[in-house]
Amino acid sequence: HYPYVADYRIGGMKCANCAENVTRAFDSVKDTWATVDLSDGIAHVRSKRPLDEDAYRDAVKEAGYRFLRG
């Protein structure tokens, strides 16, 4: 159901609440489902639409974290 997949490195996460905030930031982008691995600082992103890195970057930045790509 989510044919588009990518991993993105996220900076600034220090705790489980940070990881949850980043997850919610990604999930706020339409048709996106994300899980975040705090220990690796990686967001695993799946989307029903082609990946929109600009939207992801904006959402993560607005949540207070750094979108560092893969």
Side-chain angles (χ1 to χ4, degrees), residues 8-29:
Y8 298 106
R9 185 164 300 283
I10 306 299
M13 296 188 300
K14 307 228 185 279
C15 66
N17 282 338
C18 293
E20 184 61 31
N21 290 338
V22 171
T23 299
R24 282 195 298 269
F26 277 104
D27 289 351
S28 73
V29 177

Side-chain angles (χ1 to χ4, degrees), residues 24-43:
R24 282 195 298 269
F26 277 104
D27 289 351
S28 73
V29 177
K30 185 177 175 135
D31 293 329
T32 299
W33 173 51
T35 56
V36 175
D37 184 329
L38 177 62
S39 62
D40 290 335
I42 299 288

Side-chain angles (χ1 to χ4, degrees), residues 10-11 22 25-26 53-67:
I10 306 299
V22 171
F26 277 104
E53 287 191 7
D54 290 334
Y56 299 149
R57 183 179 299 104
D58 291 346
V60 169
K61 183 177 178 183
E62 188 173 310
Y65 303 92
R66 294 184 312 279
F67 181 89

Side-chain angles (χ1 to χ4, degrees), residues 1-6 31 45-51:
H1 299 151
Y2 292 88
Y4 302 96
V5 179
D31 293 329
V45 180
R46 299 151 194 89
S47 180
K48 292 181 179 182
R49 300 170 183 239
L51 300 169

